[in-house]
Amino acid sequence: MRVSVPKEPTGRLSDAWRYCVGTGRFELALRRDYQDSLATVQREIGFRHIRGHGLLSDGVGIYRPYEHRGARRVHHSFTYVDQVVDAYLDLGIKPFLELGFMPAELASGDQTVFWWNGNVTPPRSWPEWADLVRATISHLVDRYGLAEVRGWPIEVWNEPNLKEFWAGADQEAYHRLYELTAHTVKEVDAELQVGGPALAPSAGDWLLRFADFVAARDVPVDFVSQHAYTSGSAQHVPFGTHQRLAPSSRLLEQFAGPGRKLRGTALAGLPVHITEFNSSYRPDNPIHDTALNAAYLAPVLAAGGDLVDSFSYWTFSDVFEEVGVPTALLHGGFGLLAHRQVKKPTYHLYAFMARMGDLLLTRGLDHLVTRDATGRVTVLAWAPVDISGRDASPTGHTVRLSIPLDAPQRTAFALRSSVSEEAGNAWAAWSAMGRPRSPDQRQLDLLRELAEPVRRHQALPIAGGRVDLDLTLDRHEVTLVEITAVADETPPWWDEDRLLGTGREER
Amino acid sequence: MRVSVPKEPTGRLSDAWRYCVGTGRFELALRRDYQDSLATVQREIGFRHIRGHGLLSDGVGIYRPYEHRGARRVHHSFTYVDQVVDAYLDLGIKPFLELGFMPAELASGDQTVFWWNGNVTPPRSWPEWADLVRATISHLVDRYGLAEVRGWPIEVWNEPNLKEFWAGADQEAYHRLYELTAHTVKEVDAELQVGGPALAPSAGDWLLRFADFVAARDVPVDFVSQHAYTSGSAQHVPFGTHQRLAPSSRLLEQFAGPGRKLRGTALAGLPVHITEFNSSYRPDNPIHDTALNAAYLAPVLAAGGDLVDSFSYWTFSDVFEEVGVPTALLHGGFGLLAHRQVKKPTYHLYAFMARMGDLLLTRGLDHLVTRDATGRVTVLAWAPVDISGRDASPTGHTVRLSIPLDAPQRTAFALRSSVSEEAGNAWAAWSAMGRPRSPDQRQLDLLRELAEPVRRHQALPIAGGRVDLDLTLDRHEVTLVEITAVADETPPWWDEDRLLGTGREER
Amino acid sequence: MRVSVPKEPTGRLSDAWRYCVGTGRFELALRRDYQDSLATVQREIGFRHIRGHGLLSDGVGIYRPYEHRGARRVHHSFTYVDQVVDAYLDLGIKPFLELGFMPAELASGDQTVFWWNGNVTPPRSWPEWADLVRATISHLVDRYGLAEVRGWPIEVWNEPNLKEFWAGADQEAYHRLYELTAHTVKEVDAELQVGGPALAPSAGDWLLRFADFVAARDVPVDFVSQHAYTSGSAQHVPFGTHQRLAPSSRLLEQFAGPGRKLRGTALAGLPVHITEFNSSYRPDNPIHDTALNAAYLAPVLAAGGDLVDSFSYWTFSDVFEEVGVPTALLHGGFGLLAHRQVKKPTYHLYAFMARMGDLLLTRGLDHLVTRDATGRVTVLAWAPVDISGRDASPTGHTVRLSIPLDAPQRTAFALRSSVSEEAGNAWAAWSAMGRPRSPDQRQLDLLRELAEPVRRHQALPIAGGRVDLDLTLDRHEVTLVEITAVADETPPWWDEDRLLGTGREER
Amino acid sequence: MRVSVPKEPTGRLSDAWRYCVGTGRFELALRRDYQDSLATVQREIGFRHIRGHGLLSDGVGIYRPYEHRGARRVHHSFTYVDQVVDAYLDLGIKPFLELGFMPAELASGDQTVFWWNGNVTPPRSWPEWADLVRATISHLVDRYGLAEVRGWPIEVWNEPNLKEFWAGADQEAYHRLYELTAHTVKEVDAELQVGGPALAPSAGDWLLRFADFVAARDVPVDFVSQHAYTSGSAQHVPFGTHQRLAPSSRLLEQFAGPGRKLRGTALAGLPVHITEFNSSYRPDNPIHDTALNAAYLAPVLAAGGDLVDSFSYWTFSDVFEEVGVPTALLHGGFGLLAHRQVKKPTYHLYAFMARMGDLLLTRGLDHLVTRDATGRVTVLAWAPVDISGRDASPTGHTVRLSIPLDAPQRTAFALRSSVSEEAGNAWAAWSAMGRPRSPDQRQLDLLRELAEPVRRHQALPIAGGRVDLDLTLDRHEVTLVEITAVADETPPWWDEDRLLGTGREER
C-alpha cells in the first residue's frame, strides 16, 4: 500500500519539539565540553530554551550571608550566573529558568538529592527566599533587559510531588513556596512569565489541587508544567540500570494529561510545557545511547506539538552528574551527545527534525512528511520498536509514499540520511570496540566517524507531479529523505561515454 | 584464493607518495580557499613539500626595475613571497622551489604560456637573471634560516623540452640557464640542493644530453626531476577535454625511466623526483573528479616509492587558473579538493594512505597491507579499472586476505572506509543534482556530506593469531580497513538481553 | 573658553560615514589577507556596503564566449562572483555593485587601466553587454533573493569623465552605456536601484549634461554618484608619490557639489553617494599611512553625513594592485589596514566613530559629542592639521568641554583612546625600525602592538549634572573619550589603606 | 650612576620561573574559562608543568567502590582525568602530579579542607590506597606513554605539616603514606620521579626528620618540595583578607631553605621544587590583583632560578574555589588572570620574562639584562616596593644602563612595555569604574583594553658599540625594554619633508 501524500499542507509543523531542551545542573554550563556540545547542538538542531536544576544551589553561589560590624547580612552574587547566561545567549539559546533548589544556609533541613547534594527543604526564612528570588530576577532584568527576560519562562521548583525533590512531597508547603515566589516575580515585572508545578509523572490530583489553590488565592500562573517518562522500576547493576518501557504512545498520553485535567478549571487553556521527557528517567540506563531510543521517540517528536506548547528532551549532553562522575564514555546518560561531542542516534533524530520543512503535508504511524518554502519535500520515517525485546530483529519494515512535487522538471534528487542498529551508531561501534571506558584519541576519532549518519542519494523520476519513494528500514532505523526537483544544468555536449576518451568525438 | 599476509614486515612503506604535492601558480596561495584547502589536506594527509609554477613571474612581483636619478636599477621585492612561505610553514609544509618563469621586463621575447601569461623565453640579461636568483635564494635564507632552506629542493624551470614552456624547446639555451642558475644557487650556499631538468614525459634523449652537459662542465646537480602522465591526445569540448588513458602501470614505468636512463652516467644514483604526475595532464578533464581516478592511481601510490624518491600529485586543489577561471564547481580540475573544500575520491585515496602503518607486510595487484607500532593492521584495497571504458560495471571484485594479528584477544575490530562510484563521491552526487555550476549553500553542504567515505565496522574473530578478511568491492571502489585487536572492557554484569528490562534480574 | 555641550540632542548622528567602504578589484576578495582584514574591519567598525572595480573584468571570468557545433555562444559564469559575495554576506557586508570594466573579448578597443589591465572601451556588441548585465543581476537575484539585492545600489561604470577610465572620456558613449544598462537592470526588477555617473572630481558640466540626458529620454536613475579627493598633481619617486593637499574642508565642498548642481533639475533630491573619497587619489602616497591623514579626515567624518547619503573611504585594505604588487609593507596604500592586518591611524578614526552614540549633542571645528541610549557620552576630538607642512610641530592644541551627564552619581569614568604622531602609529614605529620592506614575524608582532591606541582612564567629578573635560592634543592626535557615570559598588568595608595589612583593623 | 652592562654573558638565565605554575583543584580544568585562560597563558608565557590539588578527591571520581554478587570491589575510573590531561597536553603543558586528597569512601576520618571539602585524613585501608596510586599511575603510563610520564614529577600529598591539610599534622602518618606511595610509584616504573614532602613554610625540622626517615628505610626520593609565602596573619573583612607582607627577599630566603637544611644529609643535592609561592597565601587578598604584587615579585623571578629547580606561582587563574564561588570579578584571587581572561599586572611580569633572552648579561636590585641568539638585548626593570605602605607614592625611581650592542648600525630600536599603578592595570581601571562585581560586556571589553601594557618606542644612538638607556619608573612599575639594532632599509630617495608635496622635487 502506497500512501498518497496530499499536495496541499494541512498546517504548519509545530516547533514545540525544539522550544526547550534539558541540561545538567546550572554550573556544569561553565565546562568546556558542555559549551562545545551546546555549540554543536545549536548549529545542527537549534533549540530555543534550556532548562536545568540548581540555579539557586550552593554551587552557583548566589546566596551569600556574611557578618559585618556584628550584623548578619546577605549578599547576592551573580559571578557564575552571568558567565553561564552570557554563554547561553552567545550560543543562541535562552534560559527556561527553574527556581531551586535551596541554598544550604537558607534551608530548614538537610535533606538533599543527587550526588551533588541539592537541598530540597523549604526555606527557614521565607522573606530571605523572596529576597533571593527578587534579587536574582532583578539582576537578570538589569543585565539582559526586560524585553529579553520576559521571554524566559520561570518555573517554581522541580517535581515537588516526589519526596526525593521536596521534603515530604508536602503540597501545602509547595503552595506556599509557589505563591510567594510567583508574587515576587510579578513584583519585579508583571509581564514576566511564571508557572509550575513541574510535576513528576503519575501525580494523581496534585495538579487539580494546585489549580484550586491558585484560583482560590488569585495567585499568578502563566503556564503549567509537568514531566513525562515511560520507564518502569529500576533494576540496578553496578553503575547502571535496566528498566522496562511502556509504548512511546504513553508519552503522548502524558503530554495530553495536564490539558485534559485542567479542562473546566481556572487554568484551562494555559500554555502547557513538558519541561522534561525521555524514555527512562535514569541517567545510567544504556537505552539512551541506542538507536532504539531514537526510533522509539520519533513518533513523539512528530506528534507531540499537537498536544503541548513544548516538550523538552532531558538532556542535550552527558555532562551531568546526578549519580556521580560517569565511569565510562557511554554510561546510559541522558545526553543527545556523549562526552566529547560523540553523537548518539537520538541526536540525529533531532538533527533530522531540524531539516524538516515548516509546512506539514502528512503524518502517519511511521512517517512524517513536510515541505518548505523552496519546494523541498522532506520525509522522516522510522522503524517500529518492539518494547518487549522479544522480536530480536525487526528489520525490513517498509514505508511507501507517493510524494507531490510541484515542479516542471523530470527528475528529483533524494538524499537519504539514516541511523540504525548498524549505521550512524556510536554505541554499536563502541560495543564492538570492547566498550573502552576511556577511549584514546584514535578511538574517539573512529567513534565520531562512525556516529555520522549513513548517507546515500538517488535520482527519482517525477511523473504527473509526483515521485514514488520506497523505503526499507533496518532495525531501529530513523531516516530522513530530502527531495528536491533537479534543475538540470548539464551542458548539451556532455556525454558520459566519452569520459575515457573512447566515445565518438563530436565534429 | 586467500592471500596469507606474512607476519614479519618486509620493510618500511616508503613515504615518497607524500614527499611533495603540486599547486597552482605561486600567488594563488594568497587565496583563502587555497589556504583553507591546504589546511584540510595537511590535517588529513600531511604532505612535506609543495611545488608549483610562477615564483618569478610578474604576479609575484619580485623583479622590479626602476629609474632613479637617471639610472636604471632593479629592486627585488618579496612582499608576496613572504606571505606565501609564511603561510606554508604555518600549515606545516615546505616549498619545493621551481625557478621560473621569466619576468616580462627581463624576458627576451613575448611568448607566454597559460591564461595567466607566464613568459617562457630566456632572459635578455643573463646577469640580471643571476641577480634575481641570488636575491631570491638569499632572501629566503635570511628570513627562514640556512638549515631550513637547505631542506627545500630547488628545481630549474619547468618542462623545457616542450616548446610551450621554453621557447623553441631549445636545449642548449636550457643548459645555459641551468648552469648559471645552479652555480648562483651554490654561491649562496654550497649545501643548497639544486636540480632539474623537470622534463615532460616522452623526452627522448634530453636527459642523457643533460647528463653529458653537466658532467662535461662540472655543473652542480643534486637531484634529477621528470614528470609522468598517462593521457593521450585531447578531444576538446567547451570548457572541457576528454582523453584516452594508458594503463596506470605506465606511470610506474615512467617513474622508473630517469633512473634507468642515467645508469652508467655521472648522474647515476642521484635522487629522482617525479615533480608532477597524474592520469591526465589537462586541468579540464573530468576524469580527475571521479572514483575511477582514485582506483586507477591506488596501485601507483602503493608501489611508486620503490622507484623514486618522490612523486608529486598534480595538484592538491582546484584553485588553479591555467585555462582560466573555472566555469563550474566540478570542471575536471587537478585538485584533490574542488573549490570550497569539496573532497574528491582521489583525496580519500591519499587520506587512506595517510592512515597506513609504516611497516610493509605485503603488496599485491589490488591490495597493500601494513602494520604500525601499536599493532594496528591496515589494508588498502582497490577495484581494477578498465581503461577501455567497455566494461561498464566491473563490480564485485573480491579481495580475500588472511591477516596476522599478534594479540592474545579473541576478536578484532575492523573499520572499513570506502569511496566508489556510489559512495563518498561528490562527483556522482553533483551529477545527480543536475551539475549545478555554482551550487548554493545547501547544495554545498549536501556535497560535503556525500563526499565523505562510507564507513562500516565489524567484529572479526581472531583464530591462530590471524583474522580472515573478505572484501567485495564496488565499481571503482578504494577501501581502507583498519584492524585492531579488541581489549574487552565489558563488565561481567553486562547482559544485552536486559537492555529493555526484560532479562532475568541477577541476584 | 570652555564649550558648554547642550543637554538635549540636536538630532541623530548620520551613519553616512559607514554606509560604504572601498576595496581593491573584485577578485582580490578571494584572498585570505583581504578576508581576514575585512573581518577585523567589520568587527570593530562595521560598514554596510563595499564597492570596488572589476566585477565584469576578465579576472572574475563571467563573460565566457565559446564555440559549439560551429556556432559562437556566450556562457556567463559566476564561480568567483559567488565565492566573493558569499564571503561578503558571511562577514556582514553587502555589495555596492559597480558595473565595469569591459571583458577583453567584448571590448571594442584595447585601452586598459591599471597594472591589472582593466579594459575601458565600449562594448563591441551592445546586445551582448546587455546580456552580460542581465545575466549577472538575474543570477544575483536568484542566488541571494530579490529582497536582498534590492538593497544593493548598482552603479554604472567608474569615472567616465576621465580618459584613463573610459576611452576618450566620451560622454555620449557613456550615456548610451548608462541608458542600456539602467533599462536592463530595471527589466530584471523595477525596484532594483541603479545610478551613476560615478564622476571623478572636477567634472565640470558632466553631471548637468547627464541630468539633461536622462530627463530627456526618461532613463531610470535612483541615485547620483561622484568621487572626492583633495590631492594635487603627483611628484613621483620610485614606488611612491608625493602630492600637495587642499584643506580637508574642500572634501566637504566636493560632497556638497552634486546636490547643489542638480538643484532645479529632474535629478534634484535624489540620494547622493560619494562612492570614493580620500586625501590622495594615489595608491602609493605615504600620506595614507600617517596620523596626519586621520586628523585631516576627522572633521570630514564628523560632518559629511549632513551633505550626502554616503561617502565611501577608498579603501579598507592595502590588498590592492592598481600600480602592481606593493614593494614594502607600508607603501602609501589606501588601506585602513596594511597587509597582515596592521592598523593605520585612519583605521582608528573609523573605529572611534563606531563607538560614538547615535544622538548628536554638538559638533565643532575640533570635536564631535554624542550620547547613546544608555547615557554614555562620547567625545571625538582632533588636532588641527597644517597642510602647508610648515608648522612642524603643532602640539598642545586644547579642547575644553562642559559635558552634561544626567545621572545621580558623583563621579564619572572616562576612558580616553588616542592615536597621534607618537601613539598608536604603526607608520612611526615602522620608520623607527628602519622601514623593513618585509618585516619578519617578530617585527610584525611589534608593529601590531604599537599600532594599538594608547588608552588611559580617569575619574571626573560630576557637579551640577556636568563634568569638565580638558583635552590637550599631541601632534595629529585623534582621540576618543567615553564617559559614563560610575555606579559605585564598593563595599562599605573597603579601605585602600589596609591593602598592605597596615591599616587599623575594624572591630 | 650608570651601570655598565658587560658585553659577555655571565651564563644562561635559568628557566626555573616557568618550569611550573599552580592551578585550582583538578576538575576545574574542565571549565571553559579555565582552558581559555590557560591557552592565553601558554601563548604568551609558556609554562612547562601545572600543579594543583584534588586529583584523588571525589570530584574527579577515580575511586569507585561498588558491590556485585555480594562482594565489595573497587573500580578506578579516569573519565575526568583523561579529559583534563588530554586538554593539558593539547595546550602544551604537562602535569606536575600531586597525589591527594583522600576519597571520602577511603578516608579514615571526616576532616576536610576548603569549600569543596577535600578529605585530609589517612586511608582507612592502606592496600586500597596503594591500589589507587598504582591504578592511577599505570593508567597514565598506558595512555600517554612511559617516556612522557617519566617527565612528570609526582609529589606525595600537600603541606602535611599543617593540621588543616593532614589530620593532626601527623608526621609519622605522613612518612607511612610517603613510603607506601613512593614504593608503589616505583613499582610501576623505576624511573618515574617521586618526591615530597610539599611542606608549608615555617616547617621547623620536618624536612630533616623526613630526610632521616627516608635514609633510614631506603625510601625513594627523587626531589624535595616546599612552599613559600611572605604574608602574615589574616585580618578578615567580608569576602576578603588583608595581611602584612615581609620583604620579597624573604621569598628567596625560603627558596634557599631546603637546600641549606639538607646539606650533609642523604638528600643533599637533590632537585628542589618550590611547588607553591606567592606574596599572600590567601585566595581573597586583593594584593594579588595589584601592580605592587608584580613589582614585589619581579626580583624573585629574576633571581629565584639561582636557588632552586623551579618555583611555581600559585596560581595561573582565578578559576579557583577554595573559599567558595568568588563574589566579584576582582576578589583577590591568586590568578595571573582574573575570570574571563582579564590580565593582572603580575601576568605581564611573567609575559615580560617570557620575552627575555636566554643569555644573562647582568642582574641588579632593580634590573635584569639578557641577550638572545639574534643579538636582541632585553631589560626588565622594576620600581622598589615599600611594604610598610607608608611611602604613598614612590614614583620617579630611575634605572640608568649602558648596554652593549654588538652591531655595525648607528641606531637601535627600543620597544618599552610597562605596567604600573596607572598603566596596564585592570585593578585600577576596575576601581575607577566603581568596582562592578559582575561587569557587563562593555565593561569587560574596557577592562581588557586597559589591562594591556602601555607601549612606547624610541630610537637610541649606538656609540662605541653601546647605547645608553635611562628609565624613569612610575609607582610600582615593571617595564620591559627590547633593544635591537636597526637595519635601515630606507631608500635613498626618501625625504620626510616631501610628505605633503611641499619639499623640493628631485630632478
Side-chain angles (χ1 to χ4, degrees), chain D residues 202-222:
Chain D
S202 308
D205 291 334
W206 250 81
L207 190 56
L208 283 177
R209 288 194 299 268
F210 176 74
D212 290 348
F213 170 76
V214 296
R217 295 184 50 98
D218 201 18
V219 182
V221 185
D222 296 305

Side-chain angles (χ1 to χ4, degrees), chain B residues 489-505:
Chain B
E489 299 185 30
T490 305
W493 54 80
W494 174 254
D495 177 355
E496 185 94 31
D497 289 343
R498 295 184 60 193
L499 190 61
L500 283 161
T502 52
R504 191 176 43 81
E505 182 156 14

Side-chain angles (χ1 to χ4, degrees), chain A residues 64 79-80 82 321 325-326 438, chain D residues 64 79-80 82 321 325-326 438:
Chain A
R64 309 299 286 275
T79 303
Y80 285 176
D82 292 353
E321 293 178 338
V325 178
S438 202
Chain D
R64 308 300 286 274
T79 302
Y80 285 176
D82 292 353
E321 293 178 337
V325 178
S438 202

Side-chain angles (χ1 to χ4, degrees), chain B residues 164-183:
Chain B
E164 291 82 358
F165 282 99
W166 181 239
D170 178 342
Q171 187 162 6
E172 197 171 332
Y174 178 75
H175 287 171
R176 183 174 182 188
L177 183 83
Y178 183 85
E179 181 173 18
L180 176 58
T181 305
H183 282 305

Side-chain angles (χ1 to χ4, degrees), chain B residues 19-20 49-52 94-98 153 155 223 273 275:
Chain B
Y19 183 84
C20 191
H49 292 269
I50 187 163
R51 172 193 171 276
K94 298 167 185 293
F96 188 119
L97 295 171
E98 175 199 316
E155 192 182 35
F223 63 87
H273 293 294
T275 50

